[in-house]
Structure formats: structure tokens, C-alpha cells
């Protein structure tokens, strides 16, 4: 019973404490000779989470909702495509549960919650269910009544959420306008508790499925993939993360690290990387705005700007593709991929390439400066709009700053704030495959030259000579020579369709079919480099001698741990390899 004592049904044990009753029962069995043997074994046993007392099952009266009549139309909603579940594999989970539904126990013995609207009469014993609170029994007029002590299960309130938030049961303007809604987003772990029940309640009370799409995200786990829990002390507090790295960094990480319905690991390095991305947006935008501050023309739309260089055509083409892809990906709920594409475009295409190239283009006449500034601003504007759902704070700040600094007439702004500005519509006319192909060759050439410089440690400021055999790309590359000079720190490139013979004492690189030659004499002082190599070779040889004598020392080889000996052998092999490479380098250089 409720007093934790045995009830009258327990016969001779009635009124006894459960532990006492058990002992007495065993003693009685023993007296009757009914015990064959005693043996310890393990059973699953529930304990109170507060005081650790063993919990006993107790039969009691509860309120239930009959579910089959509610479940049937909710099954139909998915079967007849009125409700789409993303990812689709959860259809089966949803349907299995509804097709095997149990009646729902909705009464809870808690202090907080919606109290069950049932009154009991202490006079006539009748029960009354009422929407309004009552003060007297409708059966016998007695005022000796009391309300049911229990409250409703929390999900019994939550399943009304799609319409109770809109003023239901009143027919409000909000209810008429916003019900049903479009997309519901939640964790897959509450598909039964909440999602299926909202569908049932929506159909039952309002006759319409409450949303056409349900998007299920995964659980956020810790960096090792463990479920976060207070007892494991591995809970990442989002407020602390936001204080440390910014809200945009956390939001971008959560949005881009997950795929629908799959759990994700929250890795701090990723949040750091995305904090750096937020900083990149801030710094690059500030640079663009400051370097174009004195140039009029406002923020043109991507439909207005006129590309005049290969780089202009390329960035506008890439942007058009991006806007198109991101829109399709978001419509398809591939939020992670959408975010990754905007990140990649903004960081690499815009910041690392176009903003750098703009420095060259801005050295031209007023018309060139104005055209370049227009494209810089137009692409920044569109990038910020595409990024806004992922990083709302930094993009809003930068976007308003962009318009305040370049467009004094607020009447010309597309909106007073980014959050209500129109979503970009890709300018598909700007897609230019030739420009993308040609520009990617220019990028590859610049990257190859940079790699070569790094390999031989050319001082960063030094301009190096470069000779190219470019075949049918020669005239195209002639027009891009200033970019190569600026971005790869070269002298004016010497472009040939073909070279009768390969330049001697040069490093050679291949970018697609373009041969690139970098004469070493232009990259470094050959005499000094030979001296440096000789020193390095001598040092490596010394190290080899030392390791060889150590390894031929029997005392060492027999007494040291095998893994220590193995380590020394590896070191020796590495040094021998180094000497071989240095000698080859020296031979190339000496010609
Ligand atoms: Zn307890
Ligand atoms: Zn009564």
C-alpha cells in the first residue's frame, strides 16, 4: 500500500513492513520444509534516484487516453505524404510505433503541471469532468468536493504546442494565419513523445496535420562520442562555449557538423576553427570596406555589375553557382553541406583570391577601380546573405556596416536589416565555364610557383624569374601576367608557346599542360646555398657515424630495450635518407 506496508491481501503478513514480511515468509516456508536451497543471484532492481531506496511496484488507478482512434489518422498522414520525415528512414520508426500503439497513461503524481480537471464528490461519490472549475457537485449540489490531485504528463501539454501557442481554443488571427506551420525541427529521440503526438493532436483538434515536414537532428555528443550526462561530468555548457568562442562559432559548428538524424561529436577544435572563420569574415570585410571607402557606386546587385577581367567573370560565376547550390541544399535540408560550401567560397575564393586580385585591379584607372569595388561589394553582400542563417550575428553587423559605409541613401537599401533582406537569387547568366577553367589554370600556376619557392626557402619579398611553355594557353596567360607577378612574387613571366630546350639549373613544375621553369639563380644565391648544403651534409654524416657506433656497441644492443634499439635504427635510416636527398639537391644545383 501507499504506506509501504503489506495490504490485507497479504493475509498473515498484513501490516508488516516489506523487509520484515519477507523474512517471516522465508521462515514460514522453512518451517513447512518447502525450501530446497538458498542461492544468491542478480536481478535488475530499481532504486530511487534521490535516496537510493529500493522501488516497489504498486498497482494504482490512473487516467489513460485511448490511442487507436488518434493513431490511425496519424499513420495516414505519413502514408499519404501529408507529412514528410527527414531523414526518411524514420518513417518506419514512426509507423511501427503508431501501428503498435498502447493507451497513454497521462496522470502523474507530481506537484507541477496542468492539474487533471476531475472533481470527486465526498457526499454522493460521483465524479465530474469539467472545463470550468466547479464549486459544487452537479449531481447532489454538495460543496464537499475535491479535485483530482494528479497532474497531466508533460507531453500531454506539449502535444498541443503547435496550436496552443497561437491562442487555441480561441480562433485567433494567429491561429488562422500560422496553423499549420511548415517545418518542425527536433531531436530524433522525441519522435514518439512529441512529434507523433503533435500530429495526432493537430488532426484531432484542428483537423489538419500541424506541419508538412519534420526534420530530425541527431544528439550532440562529447568529443569522444559519449552521450553527455551530468553523472559523467562531460556536459559542454553552450553558454560557456558562446562566451569563449562566440555564438556564431557554436551555431555554425552545430549546423555544419551534423547530418539529419545522425549523432555528432562536439569537437572543440572545430569551434575554434569556426571562431577563426567569424574573425576572417570580420577582418576581410573591414579590409574591403576600408580600401573601397572613397569609391562611389553603392552596393550594386549581382545583376548590375559588369565583369571586365577574367577574375571578375570567375568570382561572379562561382557566386552564382554557390547561391544556386546553397538554396537547393537548404531546401533539401542538407544544412551541413550548404554551410561548408559558403565557408569554402568566402574563405578561399573571395578572401584568398578575389580580394587579393582586387588589389591589382584597384591600381587601374577610375573606371577599373569603380568596377572592382562594385564587384567586391556585390559579392560580399551576397555572401553575407547566404551565411546569415548560419552566423546571424557577425553577418548582420558587417552587412549593416557595408550599407552604412557605401550607400548613404537608406532608401536604396534592400532592407533595413540583413535578417529581413531578400534571400539571394542566383544569377545563372553569370555562370561562365570558360572563365572557371581558365582561372583555375592561373590559380594552379600561382600555387605551383609558391610551392617551389617554399621548397627552396626563397625569402618572402624576393621576386623570382619564371619561364613558361604554355601552348595554346599562352595568349590567355599573357593577359593574366600581372596577377601571377603579384600573387606569386615573380618578375614579369616569360611566356612561350614552346621551348626548344628546357632551361638549365631550374626547378620545373607542371600546371595542367603548362610547363613552369624557375631558374635557381634567380631564387637564391647558388654559392651560399651550396655552402649551406655542404654544412648540412657534413652534419648529417656526423650523426650517421655516431648512430652507427652506438648500434655496433654490443653492450648497448643487448642491454637496451628492443624498442629503444629500434628507435635508434630508425634514426639512422632517416639520416641516411637525408644525406642521399641533400647530395641529389647539391648535384642539381651545381649543374
Ligand atoms: Zn527516495
Ligand atoms: Zn455529489
Amino acid at each position: 500500500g501507499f504506506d509501504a506496508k503489506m495490504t490485507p491481501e497479504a493475509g498473515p503478513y498484513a501490516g508488516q513492513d516489506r523487509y520484515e514480511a519477507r523474512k517471516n515468509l522465508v521462515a514460514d516456508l522453512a518451517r513447512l520444509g518447502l525450501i530446497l536451497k538458498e542461492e544468491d543471484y542478480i536481478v535488475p532492481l530499481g532504486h530511487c534516484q534521490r535516496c537510493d531506496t529500493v522501488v516497489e511496484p504498486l498497482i494504482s488507478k490512473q487516467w489513460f487516453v485511448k490511442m487507436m482512434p488518434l493513431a490511425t489518422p496519424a499513420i495516414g498522414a505519413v502514408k499519404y505524404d501529408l507529412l514528410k520525415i527527414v531523414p526518411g528512414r524514420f518513417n518506419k520508426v514512426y509507423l511501427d510505433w503508431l501501428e503498435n500503439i498502447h493507451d497513454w497513461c497521462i496522470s502523474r503524481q507530481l506537484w507541477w503541471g496542468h492539474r487533471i480537471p476531475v472533481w470527486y464528490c465526498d457526499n454522493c461519490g460521483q465524479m465530474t469532468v469539467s472545463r470550468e472549475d466547479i464549486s459544487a457537485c452537479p449531481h447532489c449540489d454538495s460543496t464537499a468536493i475535491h479535485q483530482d490531485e494528479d497532474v497531466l504528463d508533460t507531453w500531454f501539454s506539449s502535444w498541443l504546442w503547435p496550436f496552443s501557442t497561437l491562442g487555441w481554443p480561441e480562433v485567433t488571427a494567429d491561429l488562422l494565419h500560422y496553423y499549420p506551420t511548415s517545418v518542425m525541427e527536433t531531436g530524433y529521440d522525441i519522435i514518439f513523445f512529441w512529434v507523433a503526438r503533435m500530429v495526432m493532436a493537430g488532426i484531432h483538434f484542428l483537423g489538419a496535420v500541424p506541419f508538412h515536414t519534420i526534420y530530425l537532428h541527431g544528439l550532440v555528443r562529447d568529443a569522444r562520442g559519449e552521450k553527455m550526462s551530468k553523472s559523467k561530468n562531460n556536459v559542454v555548457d553552450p553558454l560557456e562555449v558562446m562566451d569563449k568562442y562566440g555564438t556564431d562559432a557554436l551555431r555554425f559548428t552545430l549546423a555544419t557538423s551534423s547530418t539529419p538524424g545522425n549523432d555528432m561529436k562536439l569537437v572543440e577544435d572545430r569551434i575554434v576553427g569556426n571562431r577563426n572563420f567569424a574573425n576572417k569574415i570580420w577582418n576581410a570585410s573591414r579590409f574591403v570596406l576600408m580600401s573601397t571607402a572613397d569609391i562611389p557606386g553603392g552596393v550594386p546587385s549581382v545583376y548590375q555589375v559588369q565583369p571586365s577581367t577574367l577574375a571578375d567573370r570567375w568570382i561572379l560565376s562561382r557566386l552564382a553557382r554557390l547561391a544556386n547550390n546553397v538554396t537547393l541544399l537548404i531546401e533539401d535540408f542538407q544544412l551541413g553541406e550548404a554551410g561548408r560550401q559558403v565557408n569554402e567560397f568566402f574563405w578561399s575564393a573571395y578572401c584568398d583570391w578575389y580580394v587579393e586580385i582586387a588589389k591589382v585591379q584597384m591600381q587601374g584607372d577610375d573606371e577599373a577601380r569603380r568596377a572592382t569595388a562594385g564587384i567586391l561589394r556585390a559579392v560580399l553582400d551576397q555572401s553575407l546573405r547566404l551565411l546569415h542563417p548560419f552566423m546571424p550575428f557577425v553577418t548582420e553587423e558587417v552587412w549593416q556596416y557595408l550599407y552604412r559605409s557605401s550607400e548613404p541613401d537608406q532608401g536604396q537599401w534592400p532592407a533595413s536589416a540583413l535578417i529581413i533582406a531578400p534571400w539571394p537569387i542566383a544569377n545563372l547568366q553569370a555562370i561562365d565555364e570558360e572563365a572557371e577553367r581558365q582561372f583555375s589554370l592561373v590559380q594552379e600556376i600561382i600555387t605551383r610557383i609558391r610551392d617551389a619557392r617554399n621548397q627552396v626557402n626563397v625569402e618572402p619579398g624576393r621576386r623570382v624569374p619564371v619561364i613558361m611553355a604554355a601552348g595554346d594557353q599562352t595568349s590567355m596567360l599573357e593577359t593574366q601576367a600581372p596577377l601571377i607577378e603579384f600573387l606569386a612574387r615573380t618578375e614579369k613571366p616569360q611566356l612561350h608557346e614552346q621551348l626548344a630546350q628546357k632551361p638549365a639549373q631550374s626547378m620545373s613544375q607542371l600546371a595542367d599542360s603548362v610547363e613552369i621553369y624557375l631558374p635557381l639563380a634567380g631564387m637564391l644565391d647558388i654559392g651560399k646555398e651550396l655552402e649551406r648544403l655542404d654544412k648540412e651534409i657534413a652534419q648529417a654524416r656526423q650523426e650517421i657515424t655516431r648512430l652507427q657506433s652506438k648500434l655496433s656497441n654490443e653492450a648497448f644492443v643487448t642491454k637496451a630495450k628492443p624498442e629503444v634499439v629500434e628507435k635508434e635504427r630508425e634514426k639512422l635510416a632517416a639520416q641516411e635518407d637525408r644525406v642521399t636527398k641533400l647530395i641529389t639537391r647539391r648535384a642539381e644545383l651545381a649543374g
Side-chain angles (χ1 to χ4, degrees):
F2 284 100
D3 56 359
K5 299 260 167 64
M6 305 310 287
T7 58
E9 282 78 10
Y13 310 104
Q16 292 180 7
D17 175 84
R18 54 185 159 158
Y19 296 112
E20 191 190 334
R22 266 175 217 159
K23 272 186 207 141
N24 293 337
L25 178 66
V26 173
D28 289 346
L29 288 171
R31 198 173 311 122
L32 294 168
L34 295 172
I35 291 183
L36 296 179
K37 65 172 178 173
E38 287 185 41
E39 190 186 336
D40 288 343
Y41 61 98
I42 292 172
V43 290
L45 191 60
H47 287 72
C48 171
Q49 61 180 11
R50 298 256 168 84
C51 66
D52 214 34
T53 307
V54 173
V55 175
E56 304 290 348
L58 179 69
I59 293 170
S60 62
K61 272 191 173 172
Q62 301 293 333
W63 291 96
F64 284 81
V65 176
K66 189 179 178 65
M67 295 305 279
M68 204 38 127
L70 294 167
T72 307
I75 292 168
V78 164
K79 286 204 168 157
Y80 295 100
D81 294 329
L82 298 171
L83 174 63
K84 182 181 165 198
I85 303 178
V86 179
R89 66 175 188 275
F90 282 95
N91 276 346
K92 189 178 175 335
V93 178
Y94 172 96
L95 291 173
D96 280 352
W97 187 72
L98 285 173
E99 282 162 0
N100 299 292
I101 194 117
H102 294 280
D103 287 340
W104 178 13
C105 174
I106 53 163
S107 43
R108 291 287 181 276
Q109 293 70 55
L110 300 169
W111 289 111
W112 298 102
H114 291 155
R115 204 160 161 194
I116 290 182
V118 174
W119 285 261
Y120 303 96
C121 178
D122 302 327
N123 183 42
C124 72
Q126 293 278 0
M127 181 175 75
T128 306
V129 180
S130 170
R131 290 188 183 200
E132 309 294 330
D133 286 1
I134 58 168
S135 51
C137 171
H139 304 279
C140 71
D141 289 333
S142 166
T143 53
I145 55 168
H146 66 274
Q147 191 177 352
D148 199 304
E149 302 267 294
D150 289 357
V151 297
L152 292 164
D153 177 11
T154 184
W155 299 107
F156 194 86
S157 308
S158 305
W159 77 335
L160 308 176
W161 185 86
F163 42 90
S164 66
T165 49
L166 301 173
W168 179 87
E170 307 303 322
V171 181
T172 62
D174 280 352
L175 185 67
L176 293 172
H177 188 259
Y178 293 109
Y179 190 91
T181 185
S182 51
V183 179
M184 179 75 207
E185 191 270 351
T186 190
Y188 67 76
D189 54 331
I190 53 176
I191 187 168
F192 310 134
F193 289 127
W194 199 30
V195 176
R197 285 172 179 158
M198 283 190 283
V199 175
M200 291 188 267
I203 296 172
H204 181 74
F205 292 110
L206 288 155
V209 180
F211 26 76
H212 60 63
T213 301
I214 172 87
Y215 174 89
L216 298 169
H217 62 71
L219 304 184
V220 181
R221 295 171 178 269
D222 76 1
R224 284 171 307 166
E226 306 255 349
K227 197 167 171 172
M228 291 188 197
S229 80
K230 278 184 197 159
S231 58
K232 272 190 265 173
N233 201 23
N234 64 343
V235 177
V236 178
D237 182 346
L239 294 175
E240 282 172 20
V241 175
M242 287 189 271
D243 282 345
K244 203 166 163 195
Y245 301 113
T247 303
D248 282 339
L250 178 62
R251 183 182 169 99
F252 192 81
T253 306
L254 291 174
T256 56
S257 310
S258 66
T259 48
N262 293 323
D263 291 354
M264 62 166 282
K265 294 181 194 170
L266 189 58
V267 182
E268 191 161 356
D269 283 354
R270 272 214 196 123
I271 307 173
V272 173
N274 291 327
R275 189 265 322 266
N276 296 345
F277 181 44
N279 287 346
K280 184 82 182 175
I281 296 168
W282 181 262
N283 291 331
S285 304
R286 199 169 56 164
F287 174 80
V288 167
L289 297 186
M290 278 171 22
S291 55
T292 62
D294 59 333
I295 303 172
V299 186
S301 93
V302 286
Y303 290 90
Q304 290 169 326
V305 289
Q306 288 299 328
S308 45
T309 67
L310 176 64
D312 292 348
R313 285 161 61 205
W314 166 76
I315 195 75
L316 293 171
S317 177
R318 287 286 314 274
L319 176 70
R321 273 189 209 281
L322 177 78
N324 193 45
N325 287 350
V326 168
T327 305
L328 293 175
L329 286 166
I330 289 178
E331 279 169 1
D332 196 34
F333 298 100
Q334 297 189 53
L335 307 180
E337 181 56 21
R340 276 189 292 276
Q341 289 197 12
V342 197
N343 170 298
E344 205 262 337
F345 172 84
F346 190 81
W347 195 308
S348 171
Y350 186 68
C351 296
D352 289 350
W353 289 97
Y354 192 75
V355 170
E356 292 302 307
I357 289 164
K359 292 176 186 170
V360 180
Q361 297 188 176
M362 299 276 276
Q363 286 161 6
D365 57 18
D366 275 0
E367 200 188 325
R369 283 165 56 78
R370 194 173 161 133
T372 302
I375 293 174
L376 278 170
R377 290 176 188 150
V379 177
L380 178 59
D381 170 55
Q382 298 275 293
S383 305
L384 292 170
R385 294 192 207 202
L386 293 169
L387 260 173
H388 186 258
F390 299 95
M391 294 190 136
F393 295 98
V394 67
T395 52
E396 181 73 69
E397 183 72 18
V398 170
W399 191 84
Q400 293 197 24
Y401 184 31
L402 164 69
Y403 275 90
R404 272 201 307 277
S405 67
S406 12
E407 184 52 75
D409 177 5
Q410 284 219 18
Q412 298 296 313
W413 292 24
S416 56
L418 176 55
I419 194 170
I420 50 169
W423 182 251
I425 296 168
N427 179 11
L428 297 176
Q429 301 292 316
I431 291 180
D432 185 337
E433 294 196 1
E434 186 194 51
E436 289 188 24
R437 212 169 39 241
Q438 292 180 343
F439 192 78
S440 98
L441 178 62
V442 175
Q443 283 179 302
E444 202 183 335
I445 289 169
I446 291 167
T447 307
R448 293 275 172 261
I449 299 173
R450 286 174 176 168
D451 287 348
R453 295 175 63 112
N454 285 339
Q455 272 177 41
V456 292
N457 297 316
V458 180
E459 308 97 89
R462 183 167 187 148
R463 290 204 175 271
V464 299
V466 56
I467 303 161
M468 283 185 258
D472 58 0
Q473 299 298 317
T474 308
S475 58
M476 185 279 285
L477 289 174
E478 294 278 5
T479 65
Q480 303 307 312
L483 296 189
I484 297 170
E485 275 176 57
F486 178 72
L487 294 173
R489 304 289 299 165
T490 68
E491 293 170 2
K492 188 172 165 49
Q494 299 170 41
L495 279 153
H496 307 272
E497 286 194 7
Q498 277 179 315
L499 285 167
Q501 69 182 65
K502 182 180 147 168
Q505 276 193 297
S506 293
M507 290 185 78
S508 66
Q509 299 273 344
L510 200 60
D512 199 12
S513 61
V514 176
E515 295 164 32
I516 308 166
Y517 298 97
L518 297 152
L520 286 163
M523 310 232 282
L524 34 83
D525 182 327
I526 293 186
K528 264 196 199 157
E529 182 65 6
L530 286 175
E531 229 171 81
R532 196 185 65 79
L533 285 173
D534 285 340
K535 260 191 212 156
E536 219 179 306
I537 291 166
Q539 190 206 6
R541 284 196 169 131
Q542 228 171 21
E543 187 63 13
I544 288 172
T545 315
R546 191 185 68 80
L547 288 164
Q548 278 171 339
S549 77
K550 194 170 184 181
L551 285 164
S552 58
N553 178 347
E554 256 183 65
F556 170 73
V557 178
T558 49
K559 280 183 196 153
K561 283 187 186 166
E563 55 267 32
V564 175
V565 178
E566 189 49 37
K567 264 263 157 61
E568 296 297 300
R569 289 218 170 92
E570 280 168 18
K571 276 191 206 164
L572 177 61
Q575 288 298 334
E576 283 168 346
D577 186 46
R578 182 168 159 229
V579 166
T580 314
K581 279 186 181 149
L582 287 167
I583 290 172
T584 315
R585 270 279 297 286
R586 196 190 186 289
E588 279 172 2
L589 206 56

